[in-house]
Amino acid sequence: MLAHLHVKNLALIEEIEVEFGPGLNILTGETGAGKSILLGSMQLILGAKTSKNMIRENASYALVELLFQVENEKALETLKALDICPEDGQVLLSRKIMDGRSINKINGETSTVGQMKAAAACLLDIHGQHEHQSLLYQDKQLVILDAYGKEKILPAKEKVSLAYKEYSKCKTELGSMNMNEEQRNRELAFLEFEIKEIEKANLQPGEDEELEARYRKMSNAKLIVDSLQLVHNLTGYESKEGAGETVGEALKEFSHVTQYDPELTPLAETLTSVDGLLNDFNRELSAYLDELTFDVTVNTILKEEELKETERRLDLINGLKAKYGRTIEEIFTYRKLQEEKLEKLHKYEENLQELKERLRELENILEKKSDELAEIRKEYSKQLEQKIIQGLKDLNFLDVNFAIDFRKKKNYTDNGTDDIQYLISTNPGETLKPLGQIVSGGELSRIMLALKAILADRDEIETLIFDEIDTGISGRTAQKVSEKMAVIGQHHQVLCITHLPQIAAMADSHFEIEKHLQGTETITQIHVLKEHDSIRELARLLGGAEITPAVLENAKEMKELAQKQKNTRFK
């Protein structure tokens, strides 16, 4: 259950901390006191969008923290699957909003909004003021049915989804093969041209890299000769400016002094090694230069022809690269793919027939899986119909009938072929009609309350939050709704924002939300009411602005009767 709520710097809220209890927690207050802000803070944890406008004026951030005490085994299993481990049975969800961005944490560890939403979804369920309107949409009606029978429906839906994916893939492939003889001939000619062009080039793996290296060397031969000749002069022994000659002179000088100081011997040996290495380097460079100079001077005509041939070959390869792939290996891969396409085109009629047969097989599988899903949904729909009828009778629908109508869609989908609609009759002898044609806003709200109670029992969500579920109801109906809320509170923690005294009287814990001026600022606060304060708040809900002794007496009697009902009838 939701044990603790901490909100800071959110809209009118400067800072509040609330400890909720088990059972029915009622929240009341004047219109505009900030009840919607409090609910909105909880919806932020469920992934609602953030905005810097939410941050209280002159504050740098807003903070919402929800602390849950988790005892439900299914919730613990879901959290474990999300890699969330409660500490002493507790899970802390927090969201800090700063200038339009947010930082989300679960038990102190940073998380994504998606992870936060998934964790919160198994711990609490919020029913907002206008959510009941979604019942008018058939897609929502199907979602509710699937949620009710999820044990069998979800596995069946997965099978349909997989079958639909295979069917759609095959259908797309068949569509891409739809071409006449002229189109096929054009495609055949094009494929043959591309394959022959690649084959004619007679490419070799790594050939392009070797040609590019050779081309660079040949096209820069004179530059190489000039540079190496300079290096040879700088490191040789032919002139006094050469490094070889200089090192030789240095060795001679060393030989004059090493006999007088043995410690100089290692240095002399090092210089001797340098002289030997330099001599070897100069000799090898000279040999390379002789050969390269001979090639440049003697075979100039031959080299120019080889250079041109290399250029032509590289141009050919680069042209193929521009068409078919960035490397020779990619060109080979492209040719293989085109060869496979060519082979398929040669066997076009045969492949087309095979694909049509494959599509028929996949369609039969998809139809079978969709029919199986429909049967499972119909099985659960009968159960749900009876539960909804009973739930609506509990909510003062005196003579109600309810049914789920099934129709088959013309087209396949990844969610089956079921097109369902909720039908209801609220008066004796009245035929069943779609919800939107029969029920009022208040009746729709009660239907959603009945559904929430049914689904909550199946999902075993511990905390349910209702925001003004009493919209559009009064009198006897309000009393029935209060009784339903009390019954739900026997098995779940319920947080309910209400304006009706009948519902507020059933509270196990009663909280008042109020706003007042603090200096020049408006502040929203929330505090728990003791019994006499709760009776006074009931009197305000009953009597409006003026609370007379008679109204107080009525409020006290209402509270006592509600307590008597909870102690006897609802146990």
Side-chain angles (χ1 to χ4, degrees):
M1 71 174 192
L2 177 59
H4 188 87
L5 168 68
H6 176 214
V7 183
K8 187 173 182 178
N9 298 331
L10 188 72
L12 296 179
I13 299 173
E14 184 177 54
E15 185 168 20
I16 60 171
E17 293 197 53
V18 193
E19 291 187 2
F20 295 107
L24 185 58
N25 294 261
I26 294 294
L27 294 88
T28 59
E30 295 281 2
T31 300
K35 298 186 293 295
S36 61
I37 298 172
L38 194 68
L39 180 69
S41 69
M42 300 181 197
Q43 288 173 326
L44 287 174
I45 297 295
L46 276 170
K49 291 183 178 179
T50 63
S51 168
K52 64 179 180 181
N53 296 329
M54 297 178 175
I55 303 173
R56 185 174 174 79
E57 193 172 346
N58 299 322
S60 59
Y61 69 91
L63 176 69
V64 179
E65 293 181 318
L66 301 184
L67 180 65
F68 292 89
Q69 187 70 42
V70 187
E71 297 176 357
N72 182 275
E73 289 299 324
K74 283 191 176 180
L76 288 170
E77 288 175 9
T78 303
L79 291 171
K80 186 178 180 181
L82 295 169
D83 201 24
I84 299 171
C85 299
E87 299 175 8
D88 297 325
Q90 294 183 332
V91 174
L92 178 63
L93 306 180
S94 69
R95 195 169 187 189
K96 188 176 183 180
I97 305 165
M98 298 173 294
D99 193 22
R101 63 189 181 91
S102 64
I103 298 175
N104 312 290
K105 292 187 177 182
I106 302 175
N107 285 344
E109 294 186 3
T110 304
S111 69
T112 64
V113 174
Q115 290 168 329
M116 178 85 75
K117 188 176 180 179
C122 73
L123 298 172
L124 81 162
D125 180 34
I126 297 179
H127 175 73
Q129 291 186 44
H130 307 294
E131 187 185 349
H132 58 272
Q133 294 293 333
S134 65
L135 269 179
L136 299 176
Y137 300 103
Q138 291 173 243
D139 288 346
K140 177 65 175 180
Q141 295 173 2
L142 187 60
V143 167
I144 290 171
L145 174 59
D146 288 352
Y148 176 75
K150 64 180 182 179
E151 295 91 342
K152 289 185 178 180
I153 291 177
L154 287 184
K157 281 176 67 174
E158 287 177 7
K159 292 177 182 178
V160 169
S161 180
L162 288 172
Y164 180 77
K165 189 180 294 184
E166 289 295 316
Y167 170 78
S168 297
K169 182 180 177 182
C170 185
K171 193 174 182 180
T172 301
E173 189 177 349
L174 185 60
S176 67
M177 286 186 67
N178 187 20
M179 59 175 70
N180 57 37
E181 187 174 353
E182 184 181 345
Q183 290 173 318
R184 288 203 307 274
N185 289 335
R186 281 201 303 268
E187 184 70 11
L188 280 168
F190 181 69
L191 290 171
E192 288 171 351
F193 168 79
E194 288 191 326
I195 293 167
K196 285 178 181 178
E197 186 178 32
I198 295 172
E199 288 178 344
K200 186 178 178 182
N202 194 26
L203 300 175
Q204 302 299 318
E207 178 186 4
D208 51 344
E209 295 175 1
E210 292 178 9
L211 287 171
E212 284 168 4
R214 189 191 308 167
Y215 180 77
R216 282 195 301 271
K217 180 178 177 180
M218 287 190 296
S219 60
N220 293 284
K222 189 173 186 313
L223 176 62
I224 295 171
V225 169
D226 291 344
S227 295
L228 293 185
Q229 189 64 58
L230 180 59
V231 172
H232 184 266
N233 292 338
L234 291 172
T235 59
Y237 293 82
E238 285 77 9
S239 67
K240 289 185 178 182
E241 291 79 11
E245 183 66 24
T246 304
V247 172
E249 289 294 327
L251 276 172
K252 288 178 184 178
E253 290 300 322
F254 247 102
S255 65
H256 297 154
V257 295
T258 50
Q259 58 183 320
Y260 305 116
D261 186 358
E263 291 183 8
L264 294 173
T265 302
L267 291 174
E269 291 174 351
T270 300
L271 193 57
T272 302
S273 297
V274 170
D275 183 55
L277 288 170
L278 196 58
N279 189 37
D280 292 342
F281 168 78
N282 204 257
R283 188 169 57 251
E284 291 177 13
L285 181 59
S286 179
Y288 181 88
L289 264 171
D290 289 342
E291 183 179 349
L292 186 61
T293 303
F294 177 81
D295 284 347
V296 173
T297 56
V298 178
N299 296 325
T300 301
I301 298 175
L302 294 176
K303 287 294 178 184
E304 286 180 359
E305 185 59 37
E306 185 180 351
L307 180 63
K308 289 179 181 178
E309 179 57 35
T310 302
E311 283 180 338
R312 284 194 293 269
R313 185 65 178 170
L314 281 173
D315 287 343
L316 174 63
I317 293 173
N318 289 332
L320 293 174
K321 283 182 179 180
K323 287 182 174 181
Y324 309 126
R326 293 168 297 178
T327 65
I328 288 178
E329 286 71 20
E330 287 186 11
I331 293 173
F332 288 159
T333 301
Y334 182 84
R335 182 184 65 184
K336 184 177 180 182
L337 289 173
Q338 300 307 83
E339 287 172 344
E340 290 173 356
K341 288 181 182 178
L342 186 64
E343 185 179 357
K344 284 183 179 180
L345 276 178
H346 283 308
K347 298 180 178 178
Y348 177 79
E349 295 298 339
E350 181 183 339
N351 291 333
L352 185 64
Q353 191 59 36
E354 287 180 1
L355 207 55
K356 285 180 178 179
E357 290 177 6
R358 173 66 175 156
L359 185 65
R360 280 195 292 270
E361 290 174 5
L362 291 173
E363 185 175 359
N364 290 336
I365 293 171
L366 178 57
E367 185 174 17
K368 181 182 177 183
K369 297 298 180 186
S370 297
D371 289 345
E372 289 173 357
L373 173 59
E375 288 305 311
I376 296 171
R377 279 174 170 158
K378 288 174 183 177
E379 176 189 336
Y380 278 99
S381 73
K382 296 302 178 186
Q383 299 177 25
L384 185 57
E385 285 171 354
Q386 295 307 311
K387 285 185 176 290
I388 290 175
I389 290 170
Q390 184 57 53
L392 293 179
K393 287 180 178 178
D394 293 343
L395 292 170
N396 207 34
F397 282 86
L398 301 178
D399 196 332
V400 65
N401 195 9
F402 182 90
I404 300 175
D405 179 50
F406 276 78
R407 295 183 182 181
K408 192 167 184 175
K409 293 180 178 179
K410 293 181 179 179
N411 300 320
Y412 295 105
T413 74
D414 63 350
N415 194 29
T417 54
D418 296 316
D419 190 6
I420 74 165
Q421 190 167 44
Y422 289 0
L423 305 176
I424 193 168
S425 165
T426 56
N427 296 305
E430 197 174 69
T431 59
L432 289 163
K433 293 180 181 178
L435 293 182
Q437 298 179 20
I438 298 290
V439 298
S440 65
E443 289 173 326
L444 203 57
S445 181
R446 280 185 284 157
I447 295 170
M448 180 60 90
L449 173 59
L451 284 167
K452 287 281 184 180
I454 293 166
L455 294 179
D457 286 338
R458 290 189 66 79
D459 290 341
E460 299 184 19
I461 295 175
E462 292 187 71
T463 301
L464 304 176
I465 300 175
F466 295 98
D467 179 23
E468 299 187 13
I469 195 71
D470 50 27
T471 301
I473 62 172
S474 59
R476 179 62 179 158
T477 300
Q479 181 60 35
K480 285 291 187 179
V481 170
S482 74
E483 292 172 4
K484 187 68 172 179
M485 299 296 283
V487 171
I488 297 172
Q490 298 293 315
H491 308 285
H492 303 273
Q493 181 194 42
V494 178
L495 276 63
C496 179
I497 297 172
T498 185
H499 291 291
L500 291 181
Q502 294 96 325
I503 295 176
M506 289 288 183
D508 295 309
S509 299
H510 191 169
F511 299 86
E512 182 183 19
I513 301 171
E514 59 178 356
K515 67 178 180 181
H516 59 85
L517 283 174
Q518 183 173 295
T520 59
E521 295 184 319
T522 302
I523 303 292
T524 290
Q525 292 185 329
I526 180 172
H527 54 274
V528 66
L529 298 177
K530 294 182 179 178
E531 185 172 352
H532 65 278
D533 294 321
S534 178
I535 290 171
R536 188 168 187 82
E537 176 65 3
L538 287 180
R540 182 190 70 78
L541 295 172
L542 280 166
E546 186 177 354
I547 301 175
T548 65
V551 173
L552 275 172
E553 189 61 33
N554 284 341
K556 183 179 179 182
E557 183 180 5
M558 180 177 282
K559 185 71 176 176
E560 288 173 351
L561 286 172
Q563 191 61 50
K564 185 177 180 181
Q565 277 188 310
K566 288 196 294 182
N567 291 339
T568 56
R569 182 177 170 187
F570 302 145
K571 288 296 182 182

